[in-house]
Amino acid sequence: MLNSQKKVYIWVGILFFIALSAILLYLFHNLGPNPGFVLPRRRLRVVSMTVVAIAIAYSSVLFQTVTTMRIFTPSIIGFDALYMFIQSVMVFFVATGGYFITGVPNFLLSVGIMIVFSLVIYSLVFRKGNQNIHFLLLAGMILGTVFSSLTTFIQMLIDPDEFAILQNRIFINFNSVNEDLITVATIVMISAILMSLFYVKYLDVMVLGADAATSLGANHRRLSKIFLLIIAMLVSASTALVGPATFLGLIVTNLTYQLVQSYKHKYIIAIAVLISIIAVVGGQFIVSRVFNLATNLSVIINFIGGLYFMYLLLFKNQKASS
Amino acid sequence: MIKLLNITKVYEKKEVVKDLSLEIEKGKITALVGENGAGKSTVLSMIARFMKVNNGEIMLDGQSIRSIKDLEMAKKMAVLKQMNVANVKLTIRELVELGRFPHSKGRLTAADHQAVDQALEYLTLHNIQHQYLDEISGGQRQRAYIAMVVAQDTEYVLLDEPLNNLDMRNSVNIMKILRKLADELGKTIVMVIHDINFASAYADNMVALKDGKLIRAGTVDELMNNACLNKIFGMNCNVQDVCGDKVCVYYKSS
């Protein structure tokens, strides 16, 4: 038992070192003759990539524990589809003569709507008093489909110029980060994490399911609500910066579970966050400096993620079905 | 003592428990018996606060369970519902450690580790404590979950069908452990059980429900007779004295 704890510390150390080197490499590799110009821009990108990486890893771990499903990410209940829908609606209003909301007000409005959405979905599911998490997933999946269909529909209606604005916002892109949103997204992410700190200890018993958690003194219903709120904030922050990238969460969390077989969420979260930073910052470093932007990080993530997902389904299936 | 006062539970306009009043004796094993859909599990879930009561009041040692804080409740009452394997890789020891959560809130002290050791010892699981839950047999897993309840160190223990899917030897083993918990540690155990003969052999008291209503509550001797069982299960039961236990023979009932 002490042994496994030691193993966790060693992994945290190793991953921390790799993550730090990835960040330093990204910042200082090949600075060129003009560091005064290059460095601040790189710094901004590293900060936003780190925020995205933390938000994705953290929200995925929370979501998987609350639902006790380890092959899901928040995108399954339509969180990022909703974000894209909100953006499309906002762009659509330019075309119809309304005014276009951009920057920080846009982001805060989106976060607000996302939070309201998570509360609506929560009350939909828990209204009847049966705490059925599968119903939550089903309802969310359907709503997610509705949102993405409506998004596509709106995209058909708007003219190509406006579509270009939208494209910039809703297609995942680690190269062009929405820099004007970094500060506010960071604040939202940090406040979400601070909010969750007090409740993290309950995650350890929530993996046992609603009834067992209740029996051990964790108010499963209230905690689910709180965690859904926190997830909504985190997904908003990451989606606002780079677009829908929660697929990364699936890879990161499952790599974490393979690496450390611990039920203690403080370790799981720490390691998931570190792996996520390595994947995003390290991956972006490789894409931009090694491949010279010949390809896109999201393409690589989706490719590796897809393969990994198939591996999980085909070879790790015994546990999910039992 | 657990006291139910005029409990009613409505489910989709159907009353699954109707105006039920009941007292559960301290330090004894009480078996809830009855047909499928009689409301046994619902009653257990309401005592455990998994479900809200529509009407009436449940008292635990003279205090309404609605007014007890979550973690305080978890120090008084442990509930074991389904024994399905959690979706995480947990060793037996880790599961039992989770039983200390109400006391430790995740930070195990020396006293907590000691309680975990004792619980493992009590269920004779200490030799396999580092094995994973999905790699052991059903009987061992059931013992692991009961060890978690023992580590939780509560006065009241509620169990929903603890013998589900267990073979004869493991069933007897589990019942003996539960008997020991009541006799040696003075725990009050309430369980939903389908095998009437296990209830007869190991429980002190029986509570019979049918269609959400109380038919009869009393000692095992009071309920284990032909007339009473016929009424509870709606079939011909033949109670015999076998080796000092009352055994109900019903396999070829008409």
Side-chain angles (χ1 to χ4, degrees):
Chain A
M1 193 207 71
L2 260 176
N3 235 339
S4 73
Q5 195 146 341
K6 218 182 252 171
K7 207 176 126 193
V8 169
Y9 287 136
I10 290 170
W11 271 116
V12 169
I14 293 172
L15 292 171
F16 182 78
F17 177 75
I18 300 175
L20 195 67
S21 357
I23 289 174
L24 291 178
L25 257 176
Y26 189 88
L27 278 176
F28 297 112
H29 174 259
N30 204 2
L31 258 181
N34 225 339
F37 172 72
V38 176
L39 207 53
R41 299 197 54 200
R42 284 190 182 178
R43 203 164 50 211
L44 214 56
R45 277 201 188 161
V46 162
V47 169
S48 59
M49 283 192 292
T50 312
V51 169
V52 168
I54 294 172
I56 288 175
Y58 200 12
S59 63
S60 301
V61 171
L62 291 182
F63 190 76
Q64 290 176 356
T65 297
V66 171
T67 58
T68 67
M69 296 280 179
R70 292 198 148 179
I71 52 169
F72 288 163
T73 62
S75 68
I76 201 142
I77 62 166
F79 267 140
D80 45 11
L82 174 66
Y83 190 88
M84 291 191 278
F85 176 63
I86 298 168
Q87 296 307 316
S88 303
V89 168
M90 285 186 193
V91 173
F92 182 63
F93 277 122
V94 189
T96 52
Y99 67 99
F100 186 37
I101 317 166
T102 51
V104 177
N106 171 318
F107 176 68
L108 291 179
L109 186 66
S110 309
V111 174
I113 295 174
M114 298 273 284
I115 287 174
V116 171
F117 171 71
S118 67
L119 287 178
V120 167
I121 225 183
Y122 169 84
S123 58
L124 255 179
V125 174
F126 292 86
R127 182 178 38 133
K128 282 182 180 168
N130 47 348
Q131 318 183 351
N132 194 342
I133 214 79
H134 298 106
F135 186 73
L136 168 83
L137 294 171
L138 190 62
M141 231 185 237
I142 291 168
L143 284 174
T145 313
V146 170
F147 290 137
S148 30
S149 306
L150 284 174
T151 308
T152 317
F153 177 64
I154 288 175
Q155 286 168 0
M156 301 285 179
L157 295 180
I158 60 181
D159 70 51
D161 284 348
E162 279 141 6
F163 184 70
I165 306 175
L166 193 60
Q167 203 175 23
N168 202 20
R169 286 166 171 273
I170 65 174
F171 286 107
I172 166 169
N173 194 340
F174 286 99
N175 296 322
S176 67
V177 172
N178 286 320
E179 287 171 2
D180 46 337
L181 293 180
I182 289 174
T183 318
V184 67
T186 310
I187 292 170
V188 166
M189 184 206 70
I190 290 175
S191 38
I193 290 176
L194 287 179
M195 256 174 79
S196 68
L197 280 184
F198 178 74
Y199 302 103
V200 165
K201 60 180 181 228
Y202 288 107
L203 289 171
D204 294 348
V205 292
M206 283 178 87
V207 291
L208 294 176
D211 287 343
T214 311
S215 165
L216 290 169
N219 190 335
H220 194 270
R221 208 177 242 256
R222 200 169 72 91
L223 289 166
S224 302
K225 189 163 149 188
I226 292 167
F227 283 127
L228 274 181
L229 278 180
I230 292 167
I231 291 166
M233 291 168 77
L234 291 169
V235 173
S236 307
S238 79
T239 314
L241 288 178
V242 296
T246 45
F247 199 46
L248 176 69
L250 178 82
I251 314 173
V252 164
T253 47
N254 280 287
L255 280 176
T256 307
Y257 302 139
Q258 281 199 330
L259 215 56
V260 280
Q261 302 206 321
S262 170
Y263 68 95
K264 294 203 168 112
H265 279 74
K266 49 183 179 186
Y267 301 139
I268 295 178
I269 290 168
I271 288 185
V273 161
L274 288 172
I275 293 179
S276 186
I277 292 175
I278 294 168
V280 173
V281 180
Q284 186 61 28
F285 171 78
I286 292 169
V287 165
S288 62
R289 313 286 163 75
V290 179
F291 292 129
N292 283 318
L293 292 176
T295 182
N296 192 320
L297 179 59
S298 65
V299 174
I300 296 178
I301 287 176
N302 281 342
F303 179 66
I304 297 173
L307 287 178
Y308 186 62
F309 191 69
M310 278 156 91
Y311 161 77
L312 285 179
L313 283 178
L314 292 173
F315 300 107
K316 292 249 138 192
N317 203 13
Q318 313 94 307
K319 276 211 62 193
S321 58
S322 67
Chain B
M1 188 166 62
I2 304 172
K3 221 180 205 174
L4 283 68
L5 301 167
N6 307 98
I7 297 298
T8 299
K9 177 72 190 175
V10 185
Y11 230 29
E12 315 254 330
K13 291 181 187 164
K14 192 174 169 277
E15 284 190 321
V16 283
V17 176
K18 294 169 197 157
D19 199 28
L20 177 74
S21 294
L22 192 65
E23 281 186 13
I24 290 164
E25 216 179 327
K26 241 182 176 170
K28 295 280 168 70
I29 298 183
T30 303
L32 294 176
V33 297
E35 304 171 312
N36 289 334
K40 310 177 296 289
S41 290
T42 310
V43 169
L44 203 75
S45 291
M46 286 190 291
I47 300 175
R49 302 208 299 194
F50 294 166
M51 276 181 198
K52 285 202 174 104
V53 179
N54 288 98
N55 231 321
E57 192 78 70
I58 298 174
M59 312 288 280
L60 187 70
D61 295 331
Q63 199 181 358
S64 165
I65 57 163
R66 276 185 294 183
S67 66
I68 304 174
K69 285 196 177 131
D70 295 316
L71 282 170
E72 288 311 307
M73 184 79 173
K75 286 181 197 168
K76 290 182 182 220
M77 184 188 282
V79 193
L80 212 51
K81 237 189 137 190
Q82 289 138 338
M83 329 290 170
N84 52 359
V85 192
N87 237 339
V88 277
K89 269 269 203 211
L90 280 178
T91 64
I92 295 175
R93 190 182 176 89
E94 285 168 341
L95 181 77
V96 179
E97 282 175 359
L98 284 178
R100 294 302 296 173
F101 185 80
H103 305 271
S104 68
K105 298 187 193 101
R107 287 177 179 274
L108 296 174
T109 62
D112 291 319
H113 283 298
Q114 203 184 345
V116 171
D117 284 330
Q118 278 170 2
L120 288 167
E121 198 87 21
Y122 208 81
L123 277 293
T124 55
L125 288 165
H126 44 282
N127 287 330
I128 52 168
Q129 55 174 298
H130 294 301
Q131 288 189 28
Y132 284 99
L133 285 178
D134 55 353
E135 290 162 1
I136 56 178
S137 73
Q140 290 170 329
R141 199 176 304 141
Q142 186 70 320
R143 290 214 315 272
Y145 275 93
I146 288 175
M148 176 172 84
V149 164
V150 172
Q152 200 177 335
D153 193 20
T154 56
E155 203 182 331
Y156 296 94
V157 176
L158 309 187
L159 303 155
D160 197 349
E161 296 188 40
L163 305 182
N164 208 1
N165 289 325
L166 293 185
D167 61 27
M168 291 189 291
R169 192 173 60 87
N170 278 307
S171 298
V172 169
N173 195 351
I174 294 288
M175 290 309 280
K176 281 193 172 147
I177 290 162
L178 295 179
R179 195 63 254 177
K180 243 170 72 177
L181 288 177
D183 294 340
E184 291 175 8
L185 304 179
K187 294 192 188 300
T188 308
I189 299 176
V190 186
M191 62 176 151
V192 170
I193 187 162
H194 273 293
D195 191 323
I196 190 80
N197 292 327
F198 267 117
S200 164
Y202 290 95
D204 300 298
N205 297 325
M206 273 186 181
V207 173
L209 299 177
K210 189 170 191 171
D211 299 327
K213 280 183 286 200
L214 181 72
I215 293 203
R216 184 96 194 260
T219 63
V220 165
D221 282 337
E222 284 168 353
L223 270 81
M224 284 301 284
N225 57 64
N226 289 351
C228 197
L229 291 185
N230 288 355
K231 203 172 155 201
I232 298 168
F233 294 103
M235 62 192 278
N236 281 322
C237 297
N238 183 2
V239 178
Q240 302 278 337
D241 267 308
V242 180
C243 310
D245 283 324
K246 289 199 164 146
V247 175
C248 170
V249 183
Y250 55 88
Y251 302 101
K252 289 186 174 173
S253 158
S254 53

